[in-house]
Amino acid sequence: MQVAIVLYPGFTSMDVIGPYEVLGRLPDTEVVFVAEHPGLVLNDLGSLTIEVVASLDDVPSPDVVVVGGGPGQLDQMADGPLHRWLRKVDRTSKWTTSACTGSLVLAAAGLLEGRRATTHWGGLEHLADFGATPVSERVVIDGHYATAAGVSAGIDMALTVAGLLVGDVAAQTVQLIIEYAPEPPYNAGTLDSAPAEVVESAMGLLSARAT
Amino acid sequence: MQVAIVLYPGFTSMDVIGPYEVLGRLPDTEVVFVAEHPGLVLNDLGSLTIEVVASLDDVPSPDVVVVGGGPGQLDQMADGPLHRWLRKVDRTSKWTTSACTGSLVLAAAGLLEGRRATTHWGGLEHLADFGATPVSERVVIDGHYATAAGVSAGIDMALTVAGLLVGDVAAQTVQLIIEYAPEPPYNAGTLDSAPAEVVESAMGLLSARAT
């Protein structure tokens, strides 16, 4: 099985590393990071650089496609080589997936029209701009599309897809290997659970980032 | 504030990216990846390469030190430049931290003697070899040491340390930004919760990896 993870400048690292750490541990699975412009790709925070060797043409038919998000997503919304590649590989992929605002790239490429989908809470409404139905759930499955909410939700999405791909025992084995039994010290991970002061602070940071 | 994250060949990516994604989003914080041998550093699964620019000497006094784990940890247990650097920076760090088997490197460097500490369930007993007291908890704080259980537990550790460093609201703001409200599709993330078949499968993979 081949998993292709798309990187672009300004990606959010956990968006891609969450699914990577899960899917990369499945039996007989190869993961390849792929970019429109291979080379050193810098993340959103400006302090993490991943080397990407494979170009889009190098990966013509992955079984699973993962697109993460991050502020760099804004530069991936116009039609072009990445969108054309996504539409092409989607025709043969078993799963086309996203974490965070990666689903907005899938949607902009035309893949989520008429589909239920989710994304980071900060961008949820924008899914409707591309004919998708925004759903405020952590992991949304519609057909062979699996979309996740913000950043850390990619871990839950990947475990869900892993179970559907290779069965519950293999997926649970990965969960145990990565000791994924979360105990967040706070209950502030959603707009509904976070204190008002925290919501205001997070919204301020996101709007500063988008400008 | 400066956060130094140690990388070495054979690191597990989520061990370091979990804490990175949390600590790197704190106000006025710079994160630097640091390695004994800077350059391109390849992870345990052999498909992720991170570029590290900073050498140990380049980072003489970080406020927070993070050491992740992974099978490559086995090659970091002998005394040498990394251990000497850890002992030196630990004298002035606000927090010396680890995820997964990174705590075994801290312990081997002599920093956890007489301390309560944790690590990946597969390595917990080995902490005692270095005079630490193994504790089967997800995040263990003792003095200015914060150690986490396996792989994904680094996220919980980093949020805990973030709260102690900069206060609850700033830590919760990061939690909301990364939408950390986990919903694992299975309950198999610990030895106690996983079905027997899953425990057997995971133990088989870990022992294959260590040989």
Side-chain angles (χ1 to χ4, degrees):
Chain A
M1 184 164 70
Q2 189 187 49
V3 177
I5 302 182
V6 176
L7 282 190
Y8 49 74
F11 70 94
T12 293
S13 58
M14 196 189 285
D15 289 13
V16 289
I17 296 301
Y20 171 70
E21 199 66 72
V22 171
L23 300 173
R25 292 178 181 281
L26 297 179
D28 304 317
T29 298
E30 174 207 41
V31 179
V32 56
F33 287 91
V34 59
E36 183 181 340
H37 303 289
L40 295 171
V41 184
L42 184 65
N43 78 332
D44 54 352
L45 302 180
S47 41
L48 176 73
T49 302
I50 293 180
E51 187 196 39
V52 179
V53 174
S55 70
L56 298 172
D57 286 344
D58 290 334
V59 188
S61 54
D63 299 287
V64 180
V65 180
V66 180
V67 182
Q73 158 261 324
L74 294 169
D75 297 323
Q76 306 299 324
M77 297 299 279
D79 202 8
L82 177 61
H83 287 201
R84 285 195 293 275
W85 180 82
L86 287 169
R87 285 191 291 266
K88 185 172 79 83
V89 297
D90 180 62
R91 290 202 292 267
T92 52
S93 71
K94 289 177 185 151
W95 287 96
T96 297
T97 77
S98 65
C100 202
T101 52
S103 60
L104 294 173
V105 180
L106 295 180
L111 296 176
L112 297 182
E113 206 172 330
R115 302 282 183 178
R116 299 169 73 250
T118 195
T119 189
H120 192 283
W121 54 262
L124 193 57
E125 66 196 271
H126 295 303
L127 280 167
D129 300 344
F130 306 99
T133 303
V135 179
S136 182
E137 293 173 6
R138 191 151 176 90
V139 176
V140 174
I141 305 278
D142 188 339
H144 77 296
Y145 300 99
T147 55
V151 193
S152 61
I155 305 171
D156 295 324
M157 180 279 289
L159 276 171
T160 303
V161 168
L164 296 167
L165 268 170
V166 297
D168 292 344
V169 169
Q172 288 170 311
T173 299
V174 172
Q175 185 180 4
L176 181 54
I177 292 271
I178 67 168
E179 209 161 343
Y180 186 50
E183 294 180 23
Y186 304 104
N187 180 24
T190 65
L191 288 176
D192 288 341
S193 61
E197 183 183 4
V198 169
V199 171
E200 194 181 336
S201 166
M203 284 184 165
L205 287 173
L206 283 191
S207 60
R209 194 169 83 160
T211 54
Chain B
M1 185 164 68
Q2 188 187 49
V3 177
I5 301 182
V6 175
L7 283 189
Y8 48 75
F11 69 94
T12 293
S13 58
M14 195 189 287
D15 290 15
V16 289
I17 296 301
Y20 171 69
E21 199 66 74
V22 172
L23 300 173
R25 292 179 181 281
L26 297 179
D28 305 316
T29 298
E30 174 207 41
V31 179
V32 56
F33 287 90
V34 59
E36 184 181 339
H37 304 289
L40 296 171
V41 184
L42 184 65
N43 78 330
D44 54 351
L45 301 179
S47 40
L48 176 73
T49 302
I50 293 180
E51 186 196 39
V52 179
V53 174
S55 71
L56 299 172
D57 286 345
D58 291 334
V59 188
S61 54
D63 299 287
V64 180
V65 180
V66 180
V67 183
Q73 158 261 325
L74 294 169
D75 297 325
Q76 306 300 325
M77 297 298 279
D79 202 9
L82 177 60
H83 287 201
R84 285 195 294 276
W85 180 82
L86 286 170
R87 285 191 291 267
K88 185 170 82 81
V89 296
D90 179 62
R91 290 202 293 267
T92 51
S93 70
K94 288 176 185 152
W95 287 97
T96 297
T97 78
S98 64
C100 201
T101 53
S103 60
L104 294 173
V105 179
L106 294 180
L111 296 177
L112 298 181
E113 208 172 327
R115 301 283 183 178
R116 300 169 72 250
T118 194
T119 188
H120 191 282
W121 55 262
L124 193 58
E125 64 196 273
H126 296 303
L127 280 168
D129 300 345
F130 305 99
T133 303
V135 179
S136 181
E137 294 173 7
R138 192 151 175 91
V139 176
V140 175
I141 305 277
D142 188 340
H144 76 297
Y145 299 99
T147 56
V151 192
S152 61
I155 305 170
D156 295 324
M157 180 279 290
L159 276 171
T160 303
V161 167
L164 295 167
L165 268 170
V166 297
D168 293 343
V169 169
Q172 288 170 310
T173 299
V174 173
Q175 184 181 3
L176 181 54
I177 293 271
I178 67 169
E179 209 160 344
Y180 186 51
E183 293 180 23
Y186 305 105
N187 181 23
T190 65
L191 288 176
D192 288 341
S193 60
E197 184 184 2
V198 170
V199 172
E200 194 180 338
S201 166
M203 284 184 165
L205 286 173
L206 283 191
S207 59
R209 195 170 85 158
T211 55

PDB file of all heavy atoms in Angstrom, chain B residues 1-30:
ATOM      1  N   MET B   1      11.390  33.401  24.984  1.00  0.00           N
ATOM      2  CA  MET B   1      11.640  32.030  25.457  1.00  0.00           C
ATOM      3  C   MET B   1      12.175  31.173  24.306  1.00  0.00           C
ATOM      4  O   MET B   1      11.701  31.273  23.184  1.00  0.00           O
ATOM      5  CB  MET B   1      10.326  31.424  25.971  1.00  0.00           C
ATOM      6  CG  MET B   1      10.508  30.051  26.597  1.00  0.00           C
ATOM      7  SD  MET B   1       9.077  29.540  27.591  1.00  0.00           S
ATOM      8  CE  MET B   1       7.829  29.313  26.316  1.00  0.00           C
ATOM      9  N   GLN B   2      13.174  30.367  24.606  1.00  0.00           N
ATOM     10  CA  GLN B   2      13.727  29.467  23.588  1.00  0.00           C
ATOM     11  C   GLN B   2      13.481  28.011  23.975  1.00  0.00           C
ATOM     12  O   GLN B   2      13.772  27.603  25.103  1.00  0.00           O
ATOM     13  CB  GLN B   2      15.229  29.701  23.413  1.00  0.00           C
ATOM     14  CG  GLN B   2      15.790  28.920  22.219  1.00  0.00           C
ATOM     15  CD  GLN B   2      17.303  28.988  22.126  1.00  0.00           C
ATOM     16  OE1 GLN B   2      18.010  28.764  23.100  1.00  0.00           O
ATOM     17  NE2 GLN B   2      17.806  29.297  20.931  1.00  0.00           N
ATOM     18  N   VAL B   3      12.958  27.250  23.027  1.00  0.00           N
ATOM     19  CA  VAL B   3      12.723  25.818  23.209  1.00  0.00           C
ATOM     20  C   VAL B   3      13.668  25.066  22.281  1.00  0.00           C
ATOM     21  O   VAL B   3      13.681  25.335  21.068  1.00  0.00           O
ATOM     22  CB  VAL B   3      11.267  25.442  22.859  1.00  0.00           C
ATOM     23  CG1 VAL B   3      11.060  23.933  22.979  1.00  0.00           C
ATOM     24  CG2 VAL B   3      10.273  26.200  23.733  1.00  0.00           C
ATOM     25  N   ALA B   4      14.447  24.141  22.828  1.00  0.00           N
ATOM     26  CA  ALA B   4      15.346  23.320  22.007  1.00  0.00           C
ATOM     27  C   ALA B   4      14.790  21.910  21.926  1.00  0.00           C
ATOM     28  O   ALA B   4      14.497  21.291  22.953  1.00  0.00           O
ATOM     29  CB  ALA B   4      16.742  23.299  22.621  1.00  0.00           C
ATOM     30  N   ILE B   5      14.609  21.423  20.703  1.00  0.00           N
ATOM     31  CA  ILE B   5      14.128  20.055  20.495  1.00  0.00           C
ATOM     32  C   ILE B   5      15.256  19.243  19.868  1.00  0.00           C
ATOM     33  O   ILE B   5      15.759  19.585  18.796  1.00  0.00           O
ATOM     34  CB  ILE B   5      12.881  20.043  19.594  1.00  0.00           C
ATOM     35  CG1 ILE B   5      11.765  20.892  20.226  1.00  0.00           C
ATOM     36  CG2 ILE B   5      12.408  18.606  19.353  1.00  0.00           C
ATOM     37  CD1 ILE B   5      10.458  20.901  19.441  1.00  0.00           C
ATOM     38  N   VAL B   6      15.636  18.187  20.563  1.00  0.00           N
ATOM     39  CA  VAL B   6      16.769  17.363  20.119  1.00  0.00           C
ATOM     40  C   VAL B   6      16.306  16.351  19.067  1.00  0.00           C
ATOM     41  O   VAL B   6      15.303  15.662  19.257  1.00  0.00           O
ATOM     42  CB  VAL B   6      17.371  16.600  21.320  1.00  0.00           C
ATOM     43  CG1 VAL B   6      18.468  15.652  20.861  1.00  0.00           C
ATOM     44  CG2 VAL B   6      17.891  17.584  22.374  1.00  0.00           C
ATOM     45  N   LEU B   7      17.032  16.278  17.966  1.00  0.00           N
ATOM     46  CA  LEU B   7      16.778  15.239  16.962  1.00  0.00           C
ATOM     47  C   LEU B   7      18.016  14.361  16.806  1.00  0.00           C
ATOM     48  O   LEU B   7      19.139  14.833  16.947  1.00  0.00           O
ATOM     49  CB  LEU B   7      16.438  15.858  15.604  1.00  0.00           C
ATOM     50  CG  LEU B   7      15.037  16.418  15.395  1.00  0.00           C
ATOM     51  CD1 LEU B   7      14.843  16.768  13.922  1.00  0.00           C
ATOM     52  CD2 LEU B   7      13.954  15.444  15.830  1.00  0.00           C
ATOM     53  N   TYR B   8      17.768  13.091  16.517  1.00  0.00           N
ATOM     54  CA  TYR B   8      18.868  12.159  16.191  1.00  0.00           C
ATOM     55  C   TYR B   8      18.303  11.147  15.197  1.00  0.00           C
ATOM     56  O   TYR B   8      17.064  10.982  15.102  1.00  0.00           O
ATOM     57  CB  TYR B   8      19.397  11.468  17.460  1.00  0.00           C
ATOM     58  CG  TYR B   8      18.330  10.897  18.357  1.00  0.00           C
ATOM     59  CD1 TYR B   8      17.656   9.721  18.020  1.00  0.00           C
ATOM     60  CD2 TYR B   8      17.974  11.525  19.547  1.00  0.00           C
ATOM     61  CE1 TYR B   8      16.668   9.195  18.838  1.00  0.00           C
ATOM     62  CE2 TYR B   8      16.971  11.011  20.370  1.00  0.00           C
ATOM     63  CZ  TYR B   8      16.343   9.851  20.009  1.00  0.00           C
ATOM     64  OH  TYR B   8      15.349   9.332  20.811  1.00  0.00           O
ATOM     65  N   PRO B   9      19.156  10.473  14.445  1.00  0.00           N
ATOM     66  CA  PRO B   9      18.650   9.510  13.457  1.00  0.00           C
ATOM     67  C   PRO B   9      17.796   8.431  14.131  1.00  0.00           C
ATOM     68  O   PRO B   9      18.133   7.956  15.223  1.00  0.00           O
ATOM     69  CB  PRO B   9      19.941   8.898  12.882  1.00  0.00           C
ATOM     70  CG  PRO B   9      20.994   9.929  13.124  1.00  0.00           C
ATOM     71  CD  PRO B   9      20.626  10.598  14.423  1.00  0.00           C
ATOM     72  N   GLY B  10      16.693   8.084  13.491  1.00  0.00           N
ATOM     73  CA  GLY B  10      15.817   7.063  14.059  1.00  0.00           C
ATOM     74  C   GLY B  10      14.838   7.608  15.087  1.00  0.00           C
ATOM     75  O   GLY B  10      14.267   6.853  15.868  1.00  0.00           O
ATOM     76  N   PHE B  11      14.618   8.934  15.077  1.00  0.00           N
ATOM     77  CA  PHE B  11      13.616   9.523  15.986  1.00  0.00           C
ATOM     78  C   PHE B  11      12.209   9.155  15.506  1.00  0.00           C
ATOM     79  O   PHE B  11      11.982   8.927  14.318  1.00  0.00           O
ATOM     80  CB  PHE B  11      13.778  11.049  16.044  1.00  0.00           C
ATOM     81  CG  PHE B  11      13.400  11.756  14.767  1.00  0.00           C
ATOM     82  CD1 PHE B  11      12.123  12.268  14.570  1.00  0.00           C
ATOM     83  CD2 PHE B  11      14.321  11.906  13.735  1.00  0.00           C
ATOM     84  CE1 PHE B  11      11.772  12.902  13.387  1.00  0.00           C
ATOM     85  CE2 PHE B  11      13.976  12.548  12.544  1.00  0.00           C
ATOM     86  CZ  PHE B  11      12.700  13.039  12.366  1.00  0.00           C
ATOM     87  N   THR B  12      11.270   9.135  16.448  1.00  0.00           N
ATOM     88  CA  THR B  12       9.849   8.962  16.106  1.00  0.00           C
ATOM     89  C   THR B  12       9.236  10.346  15.948  1.00  0.00           C
ATOM     90  O   THR B  12       9.312  11.177  16.864  1.00  0.00           O
ATOM     91  CB  THR B  12       9.138   8.151  17.198  1.00  0.00           C
ATOM     92  OG1 THR B  12       9.654   6.822  17.183  1.00  0.00           O
ATOM     93  CG2 THR B  12       7.626   8.094  16.954  1.00  0.00           C
ATOM     94  N   SER B  13       8.611  10.588  14.796  1.00  0.00           N
ATOM     95  CA  SER B  13       8.262  11.973  14.456  1.00  0.00           C
ATOM     96  C   SER B  13       7.239  12.591  15.400  1.00  0.00           C
ATOM     97  O   SER B  13       7.373  13.749  15.805  1.00  0.00           O
ATOM     98  CB  SER B  13       7.796  12.067  13.003  1.00  0.00           C
ATOM     99  OG  SER B  13       6.701  11.225  12.764  1.00  0.00           O
ATOM    100  N   MET B  14       6.208  11.845  15.785  1.00  0.00           N
ATOM    101  CA  MET B  14       5.193  12.461  16.641  1.00  0.00           C
ATOM    102  C   MET B  14       5.727  12.779  18.043  1.00  0.00           C
ATOM    103  O   MET B  14       5.218  13.695  18.707  1.00  0.00           O
ATOM    104  CB  MET B  14       3.942  11.591  16.748  1.00  0.00           C
ATOM    105  CG  MET B  14       2.739  12.354  17.311  1.00  0.00           C
ATOM    106  SD  MET B  14       1.320  11.312  17.680  1.00  0.00           S
ATOM    107  CE  MET B  14       0.729  10.937  16.034  1.00  0.00           C
ATOM    108  N   ASP B  15       6.743  12.044  18.485  1.00  0.00           N
ATOM    109  CA  ASP B  15       7.373  12.340  19.782  1.00  0.00           C
ATOM    110  C   ASP B  15       7.844  13.782  19.859  1.00  0.00           C
ATOM    111  O   ASP B  15       7.766  14.414  20.916  1.00  0.00           O
ATOM    112  CB  ASP B  15       8.628  11.467  19.999  1.00  0.00           C
ATOM    113  CG  ASP B  15       8.332  10.010  20.230  1.00  0.00           C
ATOM    114  OD1 ASP B  15       7.200   9.570  19.965  1.00  0.00           O
ATOM    115  OD2 ASP B  15       9.252   9.293  20.655  1.00  0.00           O
ATOM    116  N   VAL B  16       8.374  14.281  18.750  1.00  0.00           N
ATOM    117  CA  VAL B  16       8.891  15.649  18.752  1.00  0.00           C
ATOM    118  C   VAL B  16       7.874  16.655  18.200  1.00  0.00           C
ATOM    119  O   VAL B  16       7.807  17.797  18.654  1.00  0.00           O
ATOM    120  CB  VAL B  16      10.228  15.766  17.982  1.00  0.00           C
ATOM    121  CG1 VAL B  16      11.340  15.083  18.761  1.00  0.00           C
ATOM    122  CG2 VAL B  16      10.131  15.186  16.581  1.00  0.00           C
ATOM    123  N   ILE B  17       7.067  16.233  17.223  1.00  0.00           N
ATOM    124  CA  ILE B  17       6.131  17.187  16.613  1.00  0.00           C
ATOM    125  C   ILE B  17       4.977  17.514  17.557  1.00  0.00           C
ATOM    126  O   ILE B  17       4.448  18.622  17.537  1.00  0.00           O
ATOM    127  CB  ILE B  17       5.621  16.661  15.256  1.00  0.00           C
ATOM    128  CG1 ILE B  17       6.790  16.540  14.271  1.00  0.00           C
ATOM    129  CG2 ILE B  17       4.526  17.564  14.684  1.00  0.00           C
ATOM    130  CD1 ILE B  17       7.533  17.823  14.003  1.00  0.00           C
ATOM    131  N   GLY B  18       4.586  16.574  18.406  1.00  0.00           N
ATOM    132  CA  GLY B  18       3.544  16.866  19.395  1.00  0.00           C
ATOM    133  C   GLY B  18       3.939  18.041  20.278  1.00  0.00           C
ATOM    134  O   GLY B  18       3.274  19.089  20.276  1.00  0.00           O
ATOM    135  N   PRO B  19       5.052  17.916  21.019  1.00  0.00           N
ATOM    136  CA  PRO B  19       5.502  19.056  21.834  1.00  0.00           C
ATOM    137  C   PRO B  19       5.803  20.306  21.007  1.00  0.00           C
ATOM    138  O   PRO B  19       5.534  21.429  21.443  1.00  0.00           O
ATOM    139  CB  PRO B  19       6.773  18.519  22.506  1.00  0.00           C
ATOM    140  CG  PRO B  19       6.562  17.038  22.561  1.00  0.00           C
ATOM    141  CD  PRO B  19       5.810  16.689  21.313  1.00  0.00           C
ATOM    142  N   TYR B  20       6.359  20.104  19.800  1.00  0.00           N
ATOM    143  CA  TYR B  20       6.679  21.251  18.937  1.00  0.00           C
ATOM    144  C   TYR B  20       5.434  22.072  18.608  1.00  0.00           C
ATOM    145  O   TYR B  20       5.431  23.306  18.709  1.00  0.00           O
ATOM    146  CB  TYR B  20       7.319  20.750  17.640  1.00  0.00           C
ATOM    147  CG  TYR B  20       7.496  21.818  16.596  1.00  0.00           C
ATOM    148  CD1 TYR B  20       8.427  22.837  16.778  1.00  0.00           C
ATOM    149  CD2 TYR B  20       6.719  21.829  15.442  1.00  0.00           C
ATOM    150  CE1 TYR B  20       8.581  23.834  15.830  1.00  0.00           C
ATOM    151  CE2 TYR B  20       6.866  22.820  14.485  1.00  0.00           C
ATOM    152  CZ  TYR B  20       7.801  23.821  14.679  1.00  0.00           C
ATOM    153  OH  TYR B  20       7.943  24.809  13.742  1.00  0.00           O
ATOM    154  N   GLU B  21       4.369  21.365  18.219  1.00  0.00           N
ATOM    155  CA  GLU B  21       3.165  22.070  17.781  1.00  0.00           C
ATOM    156  C   GLU B  21       2.538  22.857  18.926  1.00  0.00           C
ATOM    157  O   GLU B  21       1.890  23.886  18.706  1.00  0.00           O
ATOM    158  CB  GLU B  21       2.162  21.051  17.222  1.00  0.00           C
ATOM    159  CG  GLU B  21       1.096  21.640  16.348  1.00  0.00           C
ATOM    160  CD  GLU B  21       1.644  22.225  15.047  1.00  0.00           C
ATOM    161  OE1 GLU B  21       2.009  21.452  14.165  1.00  0.00           O
ATOM    162  OE2 GLU B  21       1.728  23.456  14.945  1.00  0.00           O
ATOM    163  N   VAL B  22       2.723  22.381  20.155  1.00  0.00           N
ATOM    164  CA  VAL B  22       2.187  23.090  21.329  1.00  0.00           C
ATOM    165  C   VAL B  22       3.131  24.216  21.758  1.00  0.00           C
ATOM    166  O   VAL B  22       2.735  25.393  21.819  1.00  0.00           O
ATOM    167  CB  VAL B  22       1.977  22.103  22.496  1.00  0.00           C
ATOM    168  CG1 VAL B  22       1.618  22.853  23.783  1.00  0.00           C
ATOM    169  CG2 VAL B  22       0.901  21.088  22.137  1.00  0.00           C
ATOM    170  N   LEU B  23       4.369  23.875  22.053  1.00  0.00           N
ATOM    171  CA  LEU B  23       5.300  24.866  22.607  1.00  0.00           C
ATOM    172  C   LEU B  23       5.640  25.947  21.581  1.00  0.00           C
ATOM    173  O   LEU B  23       5.855  27.111  21.933  1.00  0.00           O
ATOM    174  CB  LEU B  23       6.577  24.171  23.102  1.00  0.00           C
ATOM    175  CG  LEU B  23       6.352  23.129  24.210  1.00  0.00           C
ATOM    176  CD1 LEU B  23       7.647  22.379  24.514  1.00  0.00           C
ATOM    177  CD2 LEU B  23       5.802  23.776  25.488  1.00  0.00           C
ATOM    178  N   GLY B  24       5.683  25.554  20.300  1.00  0.00           N
ATOM    179  CA  GLY B  24       6.005  26.517  19.244  1.00  0.00           C
ATOM    180  C   GLY B  24       4.944  27.579  19.040  1.00  0.00           C
ATOM    181  O   GLY B  24       5.176  28.564  18.337  1.00  0.00           O
ATOM    182  N   ARG B  25       3.759  27.372  19.622  1.00  0.00           N
ATOM    183  CA  ARG B  25       2.666  28.343  19.477  1.00  0.00           C
ATOM    184  C   ARG B  25       2.511  29.246  20.704  1.00  0.00           C
ATOM    185  O   ARG B  25       1.590  30.070  20.752  1.00  0.00           O
ATOM    186  CB  ARG B  25       1.347  27.600  19.205  1.00  0.00           C
ATOM    187  CG  ARG B  25       1.350  26.936  17.859  1.00  0.00           C
ATOM    188  CD  ARG B  25       0.104  26.159  17.524  1.00  0.00           C
ATOM    189  NE  ARG B  25       0.276  25.562  16.214  1.00  0.00           N
ATOM    190  CZ  ARG B  25       0.128  26.209  15.056  1.00  0.00           C
ATOM    191  NH1 ARG B  25      -0.260  27.468  15.062  1.00  0.00           N
ATOM    192  NH2 ARG B  25       0.342  25.610  13.921  1.00  0.00           N
ATOM    193  N   LEU B  26       3.394  29.104  21.678  1.00  0.00           N
ATOM    194  CA  LEU B  26       3.304  29.984  22.853  1.00  0.00           C
ATOM    195  C   LEU B  26       3.817  31.373  22.488  1.00  0.00           C
ATOM    196  O   LEU B  26       4.653  31.529  21.596  1.00  0.00           O
ATOM    197  CB  LEU B  26       4.114  29.383  24.010  1.00  0.00           C
ATOM    198  CG  LEU B  26       3.601  28.023  24.500  1.00  0.00           C
ATOM    199  CD1 LEU B  26       4.476  27.500  25.634  1.00  0.00           C
ATOM    200  CD2 LEU B  26       2.141  28.119  24.956  1.00  0.00           C
ATOM    201  N   PRO B  27       3.328  32.392  23.188  1.00  0.00           N
ATOM    202  CA  PRO B  27       3.738  33.761  22.859  1.00  0.00           C
ATOM    203  C   PRO B  27       5.250  33.966  23.014  1.00  0.00           C
ATOM    204  O   PRO B  27       5.853  33.420  23.956  1.00  0.00           O
ATOM    205  CB  PRO B  27       2.976  34.605  23.894  1.00  0.00           C
ATOM    206  CG  PRO B  27       1.886  33.727  24.425  1.00  0.00           C
ATOM    207  CD  PRO B  27       2.360  32.324  24.291  1.00  0.00           C
ATOM    208  N   ASP B  28       5.827  34.715  22.109  1.00  0.00           N
ATOM    209  CA  ASP B  28       7.244  35.108  22.197  1.00  0.00           C
ATOM    210  C   ASP B  28       8.159  33.916  22.400  1.00  0.00           C
ATOM    211  O   ASP B  28       9.057  33.942  23.253  1.00  0.00           O
ATOM    212  CB  ASP B  28       7.445  36.118  23.343  1.00  0.00           C
ATOM    213  CG  ASP B  28       6.537  37.329  23.188  1.00  0.00           C
ATOM    214  OD1 ASP B  28       6.424  37.836  22.064  1.00  0.00           O
ATOM    215  OD2 ASP B  28       5.919  37.743  24.189  1.00  0.00           O
ATOM    216  N   THR B  29       7.914  32.860  21.640  1.00  0.00           N
ATOM    217  CA  THR B  29       8.702  31.647  21.796  1.00  0.00           C
ATOM    218  C   THR B  29       9.380  31.278  20.484  1.00  0.00           C
ATOM    219  O   THR B  29       8.744  31.263  19.432  1.00  0.00           O
ATOM    220  CB  THR B  29       7.791  30.484  22.247  1.00  0.00           C
ATOM    221  OG1 THR B  29       7.235  30.819  23.514  1.00  0.00           O
ATOM    222  CG2 THR B  29       8.574  29.185  22.364  1.00  0.00           C
ATOM    223  N   GLU B  30      10.664  31.004  20.561  1.00  0.00           N
ATOM    224  CA  GLU B  30      11.431  30.513  19.414  1.00  0.00           C
ATOM    225  C   GLU B  30      11.733  29.036  19.646  1.00  0.00           C
ATOM    226  O   GLU B  30      12.158  28.657  20.734  1.00  0.00           O
ATOM    227  CB  GLU B  30      12.751  31.298  19.320  1.00  0.00           C
ATOM    228  CG  GLU B  30      13.697  30.771  18.261  1.00  0.00           C
ATOM    229  CD  GLU B  30      15.189  31.058  18.549  1.00  0.00           C
ATOM    230  OE1 GLU B  30      15.617  30.928  19.721  1.00  0.00           O
ATOM    231  OE2 GLU B  30      15.915  31.374  17.605  1.00  0.00           O
TER     232      GLU B  30
END
